[in-house]
Each structure stands twice: as C-alpha cells, then as structure tokens.
Amino acid sequence: MSQLIKDTFFEGERPLFATNNLRLENVKFYPGESAIKECNNVEAYKCEFMCKYPFWHNENVLIEECLFTVYSRAAIWYSRDIRMINTRVEAPKMFREIDNLYLENVKLPNAGETMWNCRGMKLRNVEARGGDYIFMNGTDIDIDGFYLQGNYSFQDAKNVVIRNAKLDSKDAFWKTENVTVYDSEITGEYLGWHSKNLKLVNCKISGTQPLCYCTNLIMENCTLAEDCDLCFEYSTLNASVNGPVVSIKNPSTGCIQADSIGEIIIDENCKNPGTCLIETKKETSCV
C-alpha cells in the first residue's frame, strides 16, 4: 500500500531518498538536490519541481499533471519504467539512460539534450521546442503525434517508427539505422545523411541537400519542396517522388522516379556512373 503525502513541500538534499511506495499529491519541491532518488513505485500528481535531479535511479514511476520548472534540470536519469502524462517540462536535459519511457500529452518547451541513450520509448501527442540533439543514441522508439523544433534530432538512433509528426530539424536522422517515418512533414537541410535503412512514406520534405550518403534509402509517395536541391549524393536508394525534383547529384545505385526532374548532375566525382536509374514516372517505375 502506498504512503500518501499531500499538500506540503520539501527542500534541501535527498528529503525522500530511498523511500518506496509513495503517492505524492500537490507537493512542491523547492531548491535542493535528489529529492526522490533511489525510490521505487512512486506516483506524483499535480506536483511542482524546482529542485535539481529529483528522480534518479528510480523504478516504476507515474507522473501526472505535474510541472518541472527550468530549475529542475536533468530531472530523470538512470531509471526504468517511467510514465509521464499531461505534464509540462520546462527543464533541459530531461531523461537520460531510461529503459521503458512513456510520454502522453507532454510539452517540453526547452528540450535541449533530452532523451539521450534511452531504450524503449513510446510518445503520444508530444511537443518539444528548443530540442537540439533530442533522442541521441535512442533505440526502439515509437512515436505518434509529435511536433519538434530542434536541430540534430535522432542522431545515431536505431529502430524508430514515427507517425503524424512535424519535424523542424536541421541534420535530422544522421547516422540512424532502421528508421521509418509515415505521414509526416520534415523541414531542415541535410536530412538523413549517413543513415542506413531509412524509409519515408507519405512525407513532405524541405531543405537543401537532403538524403545524401544513405544506404538502402526507401521513399514512397513523398514530395520534395523547391529548396530540396542536390539530392541523394552517394546514396543507394529506391525513391518514388510525387511532383518535381529540382536537382539530383551523383547518386550511387538504385532507382529514382518523379513526375518531373530538373537538373541531373553526374560529374567526374560520381563513384558509380550509370548504375542509378533516374527517369520520370511515365517512362519507368522503380521495381
């Protein structure tokens, strides 16, 4: 049975250290450190965190309708089985080295360096702003309903599925492996460089020099904006694009089809000239 603590406050160092089976309601955590460290089976409801590192080395934590202020930086690290619902996180560097993380209706307006080295993440209706380097080295990520403003997202991430997202992110998906994105909008230059097994389905893409140095890139029913120039350099791919492609430069191998194709640049630096089929849809299809 959980111990109920409500309508109070804590401050200073480690006030609830190694206390298990807690239900916290309307509790404020004033400046201090490691308030709920080394705890298991914790529920926090309508609590406010103004302290550093409140949840470290914890297991089985439910956080609902809470506020993490900017002072609660690096709040949840080295933990497992964390659920956060209807919560606002104003602090940066949230979530590091977490196993099994679930977020629903969560806003992160200052999401820099968040969700690093986390394994087994599920996000539903999440908004992150200022999220530079978010999801770095993450694995097994399942996202549906996501807005991101932040550069260098998903760097080195593996086994990711994203649906219904809007990503405003320079250098997104660099050196990722096994990433699939459905029904989403991706804005930002240098998309997906050095990725392996990146699949884009029903996506709108904008930004210069997208999808270069990719291995086994697949695009289905996607569109490329007018600023998507110099696409696919040194990539192996099978791409079907609706509408025009402004310019393609030195693709490696595979097939590219589009409704129309502007400039095709095959110069002396092309590594495998003639091994990538580039034609309009009415002329051929990628099979």
Side-chain angles (χ1 to χ4, degrees):
M1 186 173 179
S2 296
Q3 175 187 356
L4 177 62
I5 300 174
K6 63 184 299 184
D7 302 328
T8 188
F9 71 91
F10 294 96
E11 59 186 342
E13 307 299 305
R14 300 188 173 191
L16 295 173
F17 183 83
T19 305
N20 297 325
N21 305 312
L22 289 174
R23 169 76 178 179
L24 306 170
E25 295 183 4
N26 193 31
V27 177
K28 294 184 184 295
F29 290 87
Y30 291 116
E33 292 187 8
S34 306
I36 314 170
K37 187 177 182 181
E38 292 284 356
C39 298
N40 297 329
N41 306 320
V42 178
E43 296 180 1
Y45 178 69
K46 291 191 175 180
C47 296
E48 185 173 345
F49 297 91
M50 292 161 275
C51 56
K52 294 180 181 178
Y53 330 130
F55 292 94
W56 277 40
H57 299 282
N58 288 347
E59 185 170 344
N60 192 25
V61 175
L62 173 61
I63 298 166
E64 282 192 87
E65 298 188 30
C66 291
L67 171 63
F68 289 79
T69 72
V70 69
Y71 304 107
S72 62
R73 61 190 298 113
I76 304 178
W77 287 25
Y78 306 109
S79 297
R80 65 180 301 114
D81 299 327
I82 306 296
R83 292 173 58 85
M84 178 180 285
I85 300 170
N86 299 328
T87 290
R88 182 176 176 87
V89 178
E90 297 175 351
K93 300 186 178 182
M94 196 75 170
F95 308 118
R96 298 275 184 95
E97 298 284 355
I98 306 295
D99 287 287
N100 304 326
L101 172 65
Y102 178 82
L103 304 181
E104 181 179 339
N105 298 329
V106 172
K107 294 185 183 298
L108 302 103
N110 188 19
E113 301 181 21
T114 287
M115 287 180 269
W116 282 14
N117 304 315
C118 293
R119 299 159 291 273
M121 288 177 274
K122 182 178 285 189
L123 280 68
R124 296 293 184 266
N125 190 29
V126 171
E127 179 181 305
R129 297 178 183 272
D132 287 359
Y133 294 102
I134 195 170
F135 296 108
M136 191 165 70
N137 295 320
T139 59
D140 302 309
I141 305 171
D142 177 0
I143 296 174
D144 193 346
F146 182 47
Y147 173 81
L148 168 66
Q149 184 280 310
N151 297 324
Y152 324 114
S153 59
F154 297 93
Q155 192 172 103
D156 292 291
K158 295 181 179 180
N159 306 328
V160 181
V161 177
I162 300 172
R163 299 177 188 273
N164 304 307
K166 185 173 182 180
L167 310 179
D168 180 2
S169 183
K170 173 184 174 181
D171 294 351
F173 302 119
W174 270 56
K175 205 180 175 184
T176 55
E177 187 171 339
N178 302 328
V179 172
T180 302
V181 185
Y182 297 96
D183 305 310
S184 296
E185 182 177 339
I186 308 170
T187 301
E189 58 263 41
Y190 317 126
L191 169 67
W193 283 39
H194 303 285
S195 61
K196 182 178 180 180
N197 303 330
L198 174 61
K199 184 176 182 179
L200 305 171
V201 182
N202 301 329
C203 290
K204 297 179 180 180
I205 297 163
S206 62
T208 187
Q209 299 178 60
L211 303 166
C212 300
Y213 294 91
C214 300
T215 301
N216 193 31
L217 167 68
I218 296 175
M219 299 177 69
E220 298 178 0
N221 197 36
C222 293
T223 61
L224 298 175
E226 292 181 356
D227 61 351
C228 289
D229 60 340
L230 305 174
C231 305
F232 310 130
E233 186 174 20
Y234 298 140
S235 288
T236 62
L237 73 162
N238 189 324
S240 177
V241 176
N242 290 336
V245 178
V246 173
S247 61
I248 295 169
K249 183 176 182 180
N250 291 340
S252 184
T253 61
C255 177
I256 303 166
Q257 62 169 351
D259 290 336
S260 64
I261 298 171
E263 185 179 15
I264 299 174
I265 303 167
I266 305 295
D267 61 21
E268 69 278 7
N269 297 310
C270 185
K271 295 179 180 180
N272 298 291
T275 59
C276 184
L277 179 65
I278 307 172
E279 294 191 25
T280 61
K281 289 182 179 179
K282 64 182 179 181
E283 295 170 317
T284 189
S285 62
C286 295
V287 293

